[in-house]
Each structure stands twice: as structure tokens, then as C-alpha cells.
Amino acid sequence: MFWRARTTSVRAICLSDQFPTIKPEEVMDGLVTFVGLPPVRLGPEIDWTANPHGNRSWALNLHSLRWAGRLVAEYERTGERRCLDRAATVADHWIRSNPRHGRGVSEWAWAEHAVALRAPALVCLSEHMHTKLLWDALAEHGEILASPVLYREGHNHGLDQDIALLVVGCRLGRARWRDLAVRRMTASAEVAIDAQGALHEQAPRYGLYVHRRLGVALRAIRESGAEPPERLVARRRALESYVAHATQPDGRLVPIGDSPADARADGFPHEGPVVRVFDGGYVFGRTAWDDPRAAYYSIRFGPGRRLHGHEDHLGLTYSAKGRRILVEAGFHSYERTGYVDWTRSPEAHNVPVPTAGTFRPGTATRLTGSSIGASSQEFELADDAYGVRRTRHVLVHHGADLLVVRDRVAEGTLRSLWHFDPALKVVSRREGAVVLGDDDGFRVTVLQFPGDGQAVRPALVSTGYLRTAEAVTVLSPEAPGVLTVIVPSG
């Protein structure tokens, strides 16, 4: 029933640089490498239900066919016909082997994000291959993408769905699909990105992803013959400030929420103040731009956890003198394991934890006061995430770098958790004081008042996707109020 669409098709919008880098010879030989896991040989007859690593992201990448889309790009770059033929064979086999609602078909085959990522690869292939099977598949993808049933408004998946619907609509001459895609991505961007530029997915790494994908979207709109809505352009521009402020002096994004500790975000414009409060729930501060030795800190507050966020409210990260000091457990993977669940919990972050009461997920935190000066900044935060009011007062002093944090709870007692960068090991201990250092002679002194009952424990923090490292956690004494002073030196 979809074949008639071929008669109204137009030039394919194929932005092939959106596809991930591959090693063409490996893929031609049947090998694929996804998400940094070891290569897998697919064989001449691909088993689309396979998931040899038992990894959710690996399965999604297999069914996205973006790796086959890159083969089309290689053909366009080199003229190697065998790359195009291999891409066509893979796509043909996928379509025949994965009928929608078919028995035994992988759950990932028609997952909403897989559909959104696969459709542009099929569009690129359709510029060179003209078969009824391919055109029917494009039309089926378009019908799914246009339906509101699986649409993810205000989510990075929704943006990918809109990009896919736009290019499929243009390829099949369905102007209403293109127009729907542009309307949806504009409205969705205003849900996802506030006027200050903060992304409500609560992870700076997704700010980077959405910024890049909006760049693809704007190019696709222009290639379709339309002019991008200014509202959409404005939200992408605002997002740049959020990403820039969330980038640490070493060029890596601060690992808040589902943000890997090794994700980089170089090249974003960053004029203006060195301290910025985003009403969406972030304080980002530094002593200078473009100085790898600048001090840097982040503080979390705002709406309760959603999407790619963690239960990190009142949490801090801190670096000074070119060294990361306070880190969080960070992002490990999307796998469903106890460790991944822990990385999202309050205990995986630098927060005060009341010793009584039950944690209430999704509780909002208020920034109740702030004072921003050139040499020091102060912030006051409060919430009732444990059924009792807890407050945190933060003082960041520059020049002689110093971080002072006072935690209090209205009833009962609390303990403050501090997770340190894996490079820092315990050098010495005495009551209420811990000195940590690295192999280069850098030292950090942690003072806590009261000091009796302070503990030092091992921790496991994420250093990148599917990677961990042993680290040190300092746990304060149990008290109604705790003062923590962190002094870097060296």
C-alpha cells in the first residue's frame, strides 16, 4: 500500500556525517563495533535477535543501521560500489527479517529510538537504491514517526524522531510530514530547553547531544527548502551557554546525571560571567575561562529528578589548581544493575544524608539565597527530601582556594558524604582531618567539625562508559550539623 509514495519522491536529504565513524573494511568483513565493546562478527546471515554482550546500547546500535548508513557515505566518498551493495544487502535483510509485530522479532527492532535512528539511514540508501521493499519500509517508518503514540516530546528521542520524519517526508513527497516535524521539534525544544538554555533532561552530556542534533535538524530544514523557525534557532543558541558553563577547565563536561566523566565539549562560546545560576537547577562557577588550572565548581538544586537526572540535589563537584577534587559516581551505563541504580542514588553524590527519615525520590530543592562576588561566592539551599528540612550553605573562596560547606538538619542528625577523584589517595589521618594526595605531590586537606566519628571508606566511581575506578569517600561524623572545609594545595 506504500508503493505509490515512490511516484512523488524528491531528492533525498542525506546528512551522512551524522552517522558514527566505522572501519569500512571491518564492516565489509562482517564485523561491527558498538559502544566501545569488543567487535562482533555478524556473519552472512545476520541474527537480528543477537545481543552477544547482553548490552542494551549494543542492541539499539545494531537495529539503528547507522553503521550501514556510514557505508553509503563511504560509497559517496570513494565510489566503492561494494560499500553501497553491502549497505543495501544489510538493509534488505533487516527489512525482510523484522516484520513489525512479527513473532520472534527483537524488542529493539521497532523500539521508538531505533526507528528514529534507522529511518535517515534508509533515506540515504534510497538515493542510490530503488526497490519496492525499501520504499514500503520508508513509508512504514514515516507512519510510525508521524503517530503521536510513541512520540517523546521534550526528549532527545523526540528530536531524533522529528529529524527522521522530516527526511522521510521529504523523500516521499509528504509535505504534511515535513511540516509536522518542524512544528513538533520547535514546540519540543521549548519544552526541553528553558529560556536560559538549561536542558530539563538534567545531564549536561545530553545538552551536548541535543545541541548537535539540533544542528542536524536545522540543516535538514534548510535542505528541505524551508527556513528554520527563529524560536528553534534561539533555543539552540541558548543551549550553548548551558553546555559552556557545564564544561570543566580540562574540557570535560561535569559528570552530572547521565554524563560520562570523559565526555568533552570543546569549542562552545563562553563570553560573559564566570559564575552562572541556571534556574533549572544548576550553579556553575570558575575563576577564569580558558585556563586549565582555574578553580571550578557545580551545585545542584531545582526540580525533582527526571529523565537522565540523578538524585543529586545539594550535590557539589569541585576542582582547583588544575586537579579534580570532588567527583560524583557519575554515569556508568544504561544497564539494569545494582551498581547503576546506586550511581543514581543520593549516596553516590556529595550530599548530606539524614540518619533518620525515608528518602522521597523526585523531591525539589530550593536555592534560598546567594551572594556572588569576584573572589568568593556563597549559596544557601534547602529541601525536605527525607521528610525533614535539611540545608546546605556553600562558600567558595578563590585566590587561596578554599571550599567551606555547612550542613544542617532541623531534627535528628545527618552525615555528609564526599567522594574524591580516583587519583587522590589517603596520605594521613587524624581525628576530624584527612589528607589526600596524588603521585605528583598535589594535596587536599579535609577538615570536619565535629571530628569524632569521621570515617574513610572505599568507593567505586565511574570514569567512563562501562568503566570504574576505586576512589576514597570521606564520611562525616553523625551530628545535627557538620562543617566541612576542603583545602587544596600544591
Side-chain angles (χ1 to χ4, degrees):
M1 63 177 177
F2 299 118
W3 181 238
R4 67 179 185 275
R6 180 180 178 183
T7 62
T8 58
S9 64
V10 296
R11 183 179 65 86
I13 298 175
C14 179
L15 306 177
S16 56
D17 59 352
Q18 68 182 287
F19 300 132
T21 301
I22 62 170
K23 295 180 180 178
E25 289 303 321
E26 282 192 358
V27 177
M28 293 295 296
D29 193 38
L31 287 174
V32 292
T33 302
F34 303 139
V35 296
L37 292 168
V40 171
R41 186 171 297 280
L42 297 177
E45 289 293 317
I46 298 172
D47 178 4
W48 296 102
T49 65
N51 188 358
H53 295 294
N55 181 280
R56 293 164 55 82
S57 297
W58 192 96
L60 171 64
N61 274 268
L62 177 69
H63 285 276
S64 75
L65 299 190
R66 284 157 57 84
W67 49 281
R70 176 56 74 176
L71 285 179
V72 178
E74 283 297 306
Y75 163 70
E76 293 174 342
R77 186 180 69 85
T78 66
E80 287 279 348
R81 178 74 191 194
R82 63 195 185 99
C83 291
L84 179 63
D85 291 342
R86 175 61 177 162
T89 299
V90 167
D92 184 270
H93 190 261
W94 187 94
I95 294 167
R96 295 181 187 277
S97 302
N98 293 280
R100 195 176 177 209
H101 306 306
R103 292 185 60 184
V105 171
S106 168
E107 64 176 317
W108 293 98
W110 294 97
E112 44 87 11
H113 205 199
V115 172
L117 297 176
R118 184 170 57 244
L122 297 180
V123 167
C124 288
L125 179 62
S126 77
E127 189 168 17
H128 308 284
M129 308 296 293
H130 302 272
T131 68
K132 180 179 183 302
L133 188 70
L134 179 57
W135 251 260
D136 282 354
L138 281 173
E140 186 171 20
H141 279 63
E143 295 287 353
I144 294 169
L145 292 163
S147 170
V149 175
L150 297 179
Y151 183 61
R152 302 287 302 277
E153 184 182 39
H155 194 283
N156 67 86
H157 290 194
L159 175 57
D160 288 333
Q161 290 170 312
D162 291 334
I163 294 170
L165 181 61
L166 188 152
V167 298
V168 170
C170 288
R171 187 61 174 135
L172 300 183
R174 308 281 184 90
R176 62 183 179 86
W177 281 358
R178 181 199 68 177
D179 296 344
L180 172 63
V182 175
R183 287 197 307 272
R184 287 198 316 195
M185 71 173 64
T186 303
S188 188
E190 292 182 330
V191 171
I193 308 164
D194 68 23
Q196 290 181 308
L199 186 77
H200 81 151
E201 295 196 44
Q202 298 184 345
R205 185 264 179 273
Y206 279 89
L208 177 63
Y209 180 82
V210 169
H211 183 271
R212 288 173 175 169
R213 296 301 286 165
L214 281 172
V216 172
L218 296 179
R219 289 166 56 201
I221 292 171
R222 292 188 179 101
E223 289 209 18
S224 78
E227 190 62 28
E230 179 53 36
R231 289 161 50 201
L232 185 62
V233 175
R235 287 299 159 121
R236 182 175 188 257
R237 190 183 305 120
L239 184 59
E240 293 176 356
S241 177
Y242 169 72
V243 176
H245 280 276
T247 303
Q248 302 169 112
D250 63 3
R252 294 177 174 85
L253 285 166
V254 61
I256 292 174
D258 289 343
S259 300
D262 57 353
R264 299 192 66 88
D266 301 304
F268 278 78
H270 47 250
E271 59 185 18
V274 292
V275 179
R276 181 82 185 272
V277 177
F278 289 87
D279 296 337
Y282 304 87
V283 178
F284 297 121
R286 69 187 72 223
T287 51
W289 293 105
D290 300 320
D291 179 1
R293 289 184 56 82
Y296 179 89
Y297 62 92
S298 71
I299 308 173
R300 281 285 286 126
F301 66 98
R305 176 181 179 263
R306 60 166 68 113
L307 300 175
H308 290 284
H310 291 184
E311 295 290 0
D312 57 2
H313 284 184
L314 278 71
L316 285 164
T317 67
Y318 181 56
S319 61
K321 304 184 187 303
R323 308 298 178 98
R324 282 180 288 182
I325 299 171
L326 293 176
V327 301
E328 301 191 316
F331 171 72
H332 176 264
S333 70
Y334 299 109
E335 300 310 294
R336 293 168 177 168
T337 68
Y339 176 70
V340 170
D341 289 343
W342 177 79
T343 63
R344 299 187 180 118
S345 72
E347 290 77 11
H349 302 86
N350 300 310
V351 299
V353 177
T355 53
T358 301
F359 178 66
R360 301 185 296 184
T363 302
T365 299
R366 303 175 302 283
L367 178 65
T368 58
S370 64
S371 174
I372 299 174
S375 61
S376 66
Q377 297 91 47
E378 295 184 63
F379 304 92
E380 187 87 29
L381 306 101
D383 68 20
D384 57 355
Y386 290 82
V388 62
R389 179 180 172 87
R390 61 173 181 166
T391 61
R392 166 162 279 184
H393 184 96
V394 180
L395 167 65
V396 187
H397 190 275
H398 308 303
D401 290 314
L402 186 72
L403 177 67
V404 181
V405 181
R406 184 177 70 242
D407 295 321
R408 292 180 293 181
V409 64
E411 298 176 16
T413 59
L414 60 75
R415 302 192 80 170
S416 299
L417 289 162
W418 302 103
H419 304 288
F420 289 87
D421 186 79
L424 298 173
K425 309 301 180 184
V426 175
V427 175
S428 66
R429 285 187 62 185
R430 57 183 173 82
E431 186 176 292
V434 179
V435 178
L436 302 101
D438 64 15
D439 295 338
D440 296 326
F442 178 73
R443 296 291 183 265
V444 177
T445 301
V446 184
L447 304 173
Q448 292 186 313
F449 309 93
D452 186 23
Q454 183 188 60
V456 176
R457 297 178 179 175
L460 198 65
V461 301
S462 301
T463 55
Y465 182 72
L466 293 177
R467 299 200 307 275
T468 58
E470 293 185 356
V472 172
T473 295
V474 175
L475 186 63
S476 80
E478 181 180 332
V482 175
L483 181 70
T484 302
V485 182
I486 297 177
V487 186
S489 62

